[in-house]
Amino acid sequence: MASVDIVNARKSYGDQEVIHGVSIGISDGEFVALVGPSGCGKSTLLRMIAGLEEITGGDIRIGDMIVNGLPPKDRDIAMVFQNYALYPHKTVAQNMGFALKLRKVSKSEIDARVQKAAEILGLIPYLNRYPRQLSGGQRQRVAMGRAIVRDPKVFLFDEPLSNLDAKLRVQMRAEIKELHQRLKTTTVYVTHDQVEAMTMADKIVVLHDGIVEQIGSPLELYDRPANLFVAGFIGSPSMNMFNGKIRAGAKPFFETASGARLPLAKAPESSDGRDAVYGIRPEHLSLGGDLNIKVTVIEPTGAETQVLGKVGEDKINGVFRERVTTKPGDLLAVSPDLSLVHLFDLKTGNRIG
Amino acid sequence: MPHALKRSLIYGALIIWTVIALFPIFWTFSTTFKVAKDVQLGHIIPWVDFKPAWLGLRAIGLSPDTIFTESTPRAEFVKRFWNSIQASFGASFLALIVGSMAAYGLSRFQYRWKIWKNNDISFFFLSQLILPPVVLAMPFLVLYKELALLDSMLGLILIYALSVLPIVIWIMKDQFDTIPQELEQAAMVDGCSVWGAFLLIILPIALPGMVAAFILSVILCWNEYFFAALLTSTNAKTLPVMVASQTGSQGISWWSMAALSSAAILPLIIIGVFLERYIVKGLTTGSVK
Ligand SMILES: Nc1ncnc2c1ncn2[C@@H]1O[C@H](COP(=O)(O)OP(=O)(O)O)[C@@H](O)[C@H]1O
Ligand SMILES: [Mg+2]
């Protein structure tokens, strides 16, 4: 186990830079999720930690050792790949024991450790099978088994669940989390799925186009997104956003581009007339109030009801625990929870209140 | 009944084709046991058309009455046969080692030589097949003379390896391309060096392709005539050259030529029958799903 420190790390392919000076501190035993849209550089960053990509600038430290030039084999890390990368010519047991064998661990010790990992992952019946004889979920477990028998300093996961079906994904999510609670190994987990990141991680790093947008606990990111990108990326269904102007005064409000008025608890200092973005999460709207939504679609799921509609020219989306009796074309009166309204600067996208 | 009819038509066609394909081989084998008259009269079926004789096998010292005696023709034949084996297996082995490494490099690393990138380099290798070997005749004759490689087994192995190298690289690059890069990356994370990942993980997976490439290049080298005739004489001469030299001044000695030809095609038939599925497997299937 060890901490991982990434200090101003950069990566270029040829003259194209894809990681633009990223700094992340990961403490010992922490579960960190790297999340961001496809192509934002998550895998590249993970592979830089693993030593599979050279870094073009900055430092990466594992424990108190700078590992910039160290080959992967000397970094004492284990990695689970998206396509599992199981050795097709080796059995499950051989796959899991390969790293130990390379380290000249005795045969009996290897057997014992493989056995123990297989027990944890429920792989005992499959130890003598080949990867091609396993289902997707089983292969995924073997890939994890290969990582945990090593007892490495750091686990690296690159979208390990994205090849599984939805149900299995939820199940494996819980299993990986449980495994982490049991082993307490420092973990860096890459995913493009914000729900996965929210449910599993102690700390989330939101990446976008090779820069860090925000680092924080899942709830920090949810409650106080630092900018428009994080606000739109974290949370499902995603936050309602309206472009317009702040109107300060005795009774402040927000005027959307199409003229609708949205309530504000208070306006940020000297912000009257400022171009801004008003954000409110669908689940932070409640029924009753003086904001009228023109309903277009109603989606009841039993536990909650999702209402899609329009305020002025802008689309809005509300999620209510109550049963909603309305139909498309009707007006639905709602009110935003004023303490949970987000304001962002229109130009910079940064949070202003 | 149309189904049964269709089947019998298909089988009929296959049988006819089999006969057509096997006839030259049958003819070569049977001619070994003919005398001059039988060859000229076009006798085909043994015991019906002609009475088998030991002429052909006697010419290479392998008939029942000569096999246990001292025999110069047999010594000559065995030497040529052994030369052919050495040349084709030695060259294929060499080409496989060099070719696999070249193919792995082209598949996994980005090279740049002036304006040439990986694809251009690959095409350059493959383009060597377009050139007729005749173009190389004079340069190699001069080169080999200077290097004292004329009529030596080493010289023959080197030029054979060179001539099958493009095919080996082509097959092996195709193999390596189908193996996901994550496999050696996983191996490196597990504790391998670049070479360790290549030798312990990638080579075993690419084995079917290697077997196919090896067999194919053995066949190509085994059949090679031009360079053997050009660059060898008494010492390193191979079987095909010996077969061709049976057209002596007293006309063609059909039976001994047939006996030599039979001996030359026998190994290929064995390869064809027993190893064909490895060739197909290696050339068609990628490695992993
Ligand atoms: N070998 C490479 N050569 C050039 N560009 C690359 C290479 N690998 C990745 N990239 C680029 O780097 C960016 C980040 O890629 P990646 O880390 O795989 O994204 P993610 O995993 O977040 O989807 C992408 O724009 C991709 O095109
Ligand atoms: Mg990726």
Side-chain angles (χ1 to χ4, degrees):
Chain A
M1 288 206 270
S3 60
V4 177
D5 284 292
I6 303 168
V7 184
N8 200 20
R10 291 173 182 278
K11 173 72 192 177
S12 310
Y13 291 108
D15 47 13
Q16 198 183 11
E17 193 173 73
V18 295
I19 301 286
H20 314 283
V22 164
S23 300
I24 304 169
I26 300 166
S27 38
D28 190 3
E30 206 168 19
F31 193 120
V32 170
L34 291 182
V35 67
S38 174
C40 71
K42 308 178 294 287
S43 299
T44 305
L45 191 56
L46 194 76
R47 293 156 52 81
M48 286 159 73
I49 302 174
L52 294 169
E53 300 281 356
E54 274 174 42
I55 69 173
T56 345
D59 282 321
I60 293 180
R61 246 195 320 265
I62 297 178
D64 15 289
M65 188 169 43
I66 292 190
V67 296
N68 292 5
L70 224 52
K73 70 187 176 75
D74 298 327
R75 295 190 181 199
D76 199 10
I77 38 121
M79 185 156 170
V80 175
F81 294 83
Q82 183 171 355
N83 61 4
Y84 317 136
L86 301 180
Y87 311 128
H89 60 303
K90 292 182 184 291
T91 63
V92 169
Q94 287 167 341
N95 261 283
M96 286 165 64
F98 183 62
L100 299 177
K101 198 170 148 200
L102 288 175
R103 281 173 178 69
K104 307 255 177 334
V105 176
S106 74
K107 178 97 177 51
S108 56
E109 166 94 23
I110 295 179
D111 287 346
R113 281 164 75 171
V114 167
Q115 193 73 20
K116 184 156 164 262
E119 245 162 62
I120 295 176
L121 295 164
L123 286 172
I124 298 283
Y126 311 109
L127 281 176
N128 291 319
R129 293 217 193 153
Y130 286 91
R132 64 173 176 277
Q133 301 167 309
L134 301 177
S135 71
Q138 289 162 345
R139 287 181 203 185
Q140 214 283 327
R141 268 170 227 244
V142 177
M144 296 219 312
R146 197 164 63 178
I148 66 175
V149 288
R150 295 257 314 273
D151 193 17
K153 284 190 189 142
V154 183
F155 283 143
L156 305 175
F157 291 87
D158 192 353
E159 311 214 11
L161 305 185
S162 58
N163 288 352
L164 302 180
D165 61 52
K167 197 168 160 211
L168 203 52
R169 202 147 59 209
V170 173
Q171 183 192 336
M172 287 308 295
R173 205 158 83 189
E175 278 187 38
I176 293 178
K177 196 170 172 180
E178 198 186 311
L179 202 63
H180 177 255
Q181 275 153 11
R182 175 168 177 167
L183 303 173
K184 301 204 165 44
T185 306
T186 313
T187 301
V188 184
Y189 186 102
V190 161
T191 175
H192 65 268
D193 179 355
Q194 56 96 17
V195 177
E196 232 170 66
M198 294 288 281
T199 50
M200 296 172 81
D202 299 323
K203 188 155 95 185
I204 297 179
V205 177
V206 182
L207 274 181
H208 181 213
D209 284 347
I211 60 159
V212 172
E213 294 280 359
Q214 189 173 5
I215 301 182
S217 72
L219 292 184
E220 275 164 19
L221 263 53
Y222 179 84
D223 292 338
R224 288 188 66 80
N227 51 47
L228 279 174
F229 179 79
V230 178
F233 193 79
I234 300 289
S236 166
S238 55
M239 189 186 282
N240 297 302
M241 295 191 191
F242 306 91
N243 289 355
K245 285 183 179 354
I246 296 173
R247 299 295 180 205
K251 198 165 182 307
F253 63 90
F254 185 89
E255 187 179 349
T256 68
S258 56
R261 292 182 167 203
L262 303 170
L264 276 179
K266 65 176 176 51
E269 253 170 67
S270 62
S271 63
D272 190 33
R274 184 167 174 182
D275 287 324
V277 178
Y278 180 103
I280 182 75
R281 294 194 185 278
E283 56 273 31
H284 295 153
L285 293 173
S286 47
L287 292 175
D290 44 17
L291 181 61
N292 286 323
I293 300 180
K294 190 155 200 286
V295 177
T296 50
V297 179
I298 304 164
E299 295 179 343
T301 60
E304 56 188 29
T305 308
Q306 195 172 161
V307 177
L308 305 179
K310 281 193 155 180
V311 170
E313 297 296 307
D314 297 295
K315 284 200 174 127
I316 189 168
N317 181 358
V319 173
F320 307 100
R321 304 299 308 249
E322 301 89 349
R323 301 277 159 114
V324 183
T325 49
T326 180
K327 56 183 192 304
D330 284 358
L331 286 180
L332 183 69
V334 301
S335 54
D337 183 336
L338 292 188
S339 63
L340 296 171
V341 167
H342 310 266
L343 284 174
F344 303 94
D345 186 75
L346 182 68
K347 270 200 221 69
T348 63
N350 288 334
R351 180 179 196 89
I352 52 179
Chain B
M1 278 292 132
H3 184 66
L5 188 66
K6 205 168 138 194
R7 276 183 85 86
S8 24
L9 279 177
I10 289 174
Y11 276 99
L14 286 175
I15 288 169
I16 291 172
W17 179 247
T18 308
V19 169
I20 291 173
L22 288 181
F23 182 76
I25 297 173
F26 166 76
W27 188 81
T28 308
F29 278 123
S30 62
T31 301
T32 307
F33 302 97
K34 291 174 194 168
V35 296
K37 177 169 61 77
D38 296 322
V39 179
Q40 276 140 22
L41 294 178
H43 289 160
I44 301 284
I45 309 163
W47 289 290
V48 179
D49 275 354
F50 69 94
K51 199 164 142 308
W54 288 117
L55 228 52
L57 287 182
R58 189 174 300 136
I60 56 173
L62 288 175
S63 63
D65 53 324
T66 53
I67 194 154
F68 295 112
T69 63
E70 213 36 43
S71 156
T72 339
R74 186 176 66 227
E76 173 78 1
F77 163 74
V78 170
K79 187 174 171 199
R80 298 310 163 210
F81 194 85
W82 178 233
N83 277 351
S84 273
I85 288 181
Q86 277 180 295
S88 49
F89 280 78
S92 302
F93 197 67
L94 186 63
L96 195 65
I97 292 175
V98 177
S100 296
M101 293 195 294
Y104 185 68
L106 285 171
S107 164
R108 290 302 198 256
F109 302 97
Q110 296 304 314
Y111 295 102
R112 197 174 187 147
W113 187 72
K114 305 251 160 87
I115 56 162
W116 284 23
K117 298 198 181 142
N118 284 26
N119 279 342
D120 308 299
I121 299 172
S122 302
F123 178 74
F124 171 75
F125 287 147
L126 206 56
S127 70
Q128 303 307 302
L129 291 176
I130 299 170
L131 217 62
V134 183
V135 177
L136 295 174
M138 294 280 285
F140 264 95
L141 211 48
V142 175
L143 181 73
Y144 270 38
K145 196 158 179 292
E146 289 298 314
L147 295 174
L149 284 174
L150 279 180
D151 198 21
S152 74
M153 188 42 68
L154 178 65
L156 205 56
I157 288 178
L158 286 180
I159 191 155
Y160 280 6
L162 190 68
S163 60
V164 293
L165 207 48
I167 295 175
V168 173
I169 292 177
W170 187 34
I171 295 175
M172 291 313 295
K173 179 169 183 296
D174 209 45
Q175 282 285 310
F176 292 136
D177 282 347
T178 61
I179 301 177
Q181 297 219 11
E182 279 86 359
L183 279 185
E184 50 276 52
Q185 292 170 354
M188 287 198 276
V189 169
D190 268 350
C192 286
S193 60
V194 174
W195 276 97
F198 175 62
L199 294 174
L200 293 176
I201 300 298
I202 300 306
L203 274 195
I205 299 172
L207 204 61
M210 294 184 84
V211 173
F214 185 77
I215 297 172
L216 211 59
S217 60
V218 164
I219 294 173
L220 287 172
C221 295
W222 185 269
N223 289 333
E224 208 285 333
Y225 172 77
F226 180 74
F227 283 114
L230 184 74
L231 301 174
T232 66
S233 50
T234 49
N235 186 33
K237 195 160 80 180
T238 58
L239 210 47
V241 184
M242 189 183 178
V243 174
S245 68
Q246 297 307 305
T247 55
S249 48
Q250 316 95 5
I252 301 166
S253 52
W254 292 104
W255 41 91
S256 68
M257 198 161 174
L260 287 171
S261 303
S262 305
I265 54 181
L266 204 57
L268 298 188
I269 292 176
I270 293 173
I271 287 177
V273 172
F274 291 102
L275 302 181
E276 177 260 359
R277 62 201 170 97
Y278 290 103
I279 303 183
V280 173
K281 190 173 158 217
L283 293 183
T284 52
T285 62
S287 57
V288 256
K289 272 267 144 63

